[in-house]
Amino acid sequence: DTGVSQDPRHKITKRGQNVTFRCDPISEHNRLYWYRQTLGQGPEFLTYFQNEAQLEKSRLLSDRFSAERPKGSFSTLEIQRTEQGDSAMYLCASSLARGGSVADTQYFGPGTRLTVL
Amino acid sequence: AQSVSQHNHHVILSEAASLELGCNYSYGGTVNLFWYVQYPGQHLQLLLKYFSGDPLVKGIKGFEAEFIKSKFSFNLRKPSVQWSDTAEYFCASNPMDTGRRALTFGSGTRLQVQP
């Protein structure tokens, strides 16, 4: 079990640029989640996929944010026209849920730290 | 919107002291509850979880938590802490009866154990 992996681990960009992050979930996990964490706070939910379907989106996910999971495996999170307020740690998590299970456990990756200058 | 409160932001203990970290959630229905730990330089790891059944849940490294529905609480305990328990601890919940899968996290408690 190799765990959730995220790439890159660190990203520094200038305001207005677009950035894309990748998440590879634990093999065979069918649910994938994105969270954002700022200093001194707990993670905040952004969006979640079951297989390739995006089933839930937070109001934190503005129009500049888009996430995909095209083949139900890895996922990408893109931020367009980055702003300084986007600086945060972006966390990915995955879980294995059978059927409509409401009792699944999310396992987190190491995160991508984004700094917008 | 539901919320999770962790009232202790920073706790400093000596080794062998007992630990109790508070967690209160706001959702009035049935919930799943979790404690995650983040050691320095590492990612979030699951410490323990409660889905149903025995309200006293045992996790890894000697930690346990007790779900008290009447108090909307899920406090984390350890009878004797070690220096290696220095970390940030996050409580999280998600409702079981709404179809939402998102975890709501507290703001975390930073535990510092002095040798």
Side-chain angles (χ1 to χ4, degrees):
Chain A
D1 186 352
T2 56
V4 178
S5 61
Q6 294 187 243
D7 183 69
R9 296 291 303 276
H10 302 274
K11 178 71 177 179
I12 300 173
T13 191
K14 292 182 180 179
R15 188 175 51 188
Q17 297 295 303
N18 298 345
V19 294
T20 300
F21 310 141
R22 177 180 169 123
C23 171
D24 287 89
I26 294 171
S27 178
E28 297 181 355
H29 276 194
N30 54 354
R31 289 180 178 166
L32 187 148
Y33 307 78
W34 286 99
Y35 291 81
R36 182 174 70 184
Q37 185 177 19
T38 53
L39 201 60
Q41 299 298 319
E44 295 175 291
F45 172 76
L46 293 177
T47 189
Y48 123 78
F49 293 84
Q50 176 143 336
N51 299 312
E52 64 276 6
Q54 189 173 18
L55 297 186
E56 194 175 338
K57 291 169 66 173
S58 162
R59 63 179 185 277
L60 291 176
L61 212 67
S62 75
D63 292 346
R64 297 184 297 105
F65 288 70
S66 63
E68 295 182 341
R69 194 183 184 200
K71 297 183 180 178
S73 56
F74 72 93
S75 175
T76 58
L77 177 68
E78 181 183 16
I79 309 174
Q80 297 182 324
R81 305 181 303 282
T82 52
E83 301 173 355
Q84 288 184 324
D86 297 331
S87 295
M89 178 74 86
Y90 289 84
L91 300 171
C92 178
S94 71
S95 69
L96 175 62
R98 294 184 170 81
S101 173
V102 297
D104 60 324
T105 301
Q106 297 178 30
Y107 296 92
F108 284 80
T112 294
R113 182 171 296 283
L114 173 66
T115 302
V116 182
L117 301 176
Chain B
Q2 60 166 320
S3 64
V4 174
S5 298
Q6 294 181 243
H7 302 294
N8 311 106
H9 298 294
H10 190 190
V11 173
I12 302 174
L13 295 174
S14 299
E15 274 193 313
S18 64
L19 170 71
E20 181 160 3
L21 301 182
C23 172
N24 290 93
Y25 64 93
S26 66
Y27 186 69
T30 308
V31 293
N32 297 323
L33 293 160
F34 306 83
W35 276 97
Y36 285 86
V37 60
Q38 189 166 24
Y39 298 104
Q42 297 187 26
H43 61 277
L44 278 168
Q45 300 172 37
L46 181 70
L47 204 53
L48 49 78
K49 61 188 177 186
Y50 173 79
F51 289 160
S52 63
D54 188 343
L56 186 61
V57 178
K58 294 192 184 300
I60 59 172
K61 303 186 180 185
F63 286 90
E64 66 178 28
E66 184 175 12
F67 169 56
I68 303 179
K69 188 173 182 179
S70 61
K71 294 184 178 180
F72 293 82
S73 70
F74 190 56
N75 292 355
L76 181 70
R77 299 194 295 246
K78 186 172 184 179
S80 176
V81 294
Q82 301 173 316
W83 177 78
S84 58
D85 293 324
T86 294
E88 190 149 19
Y89 293 80
F90 293 94
C91 181
S93 74
N94 84 303
M96 291 179 67
D97 50 11
T98 65
R100 297 191 67 235
R101 303 274 63 81
L103 287 176
T104 298
F105 282 85
S107 57
T109 297
R110 183 172 300 278
L111 172 65
Q112 185 178 345
V113 180
Q114 296 176 331

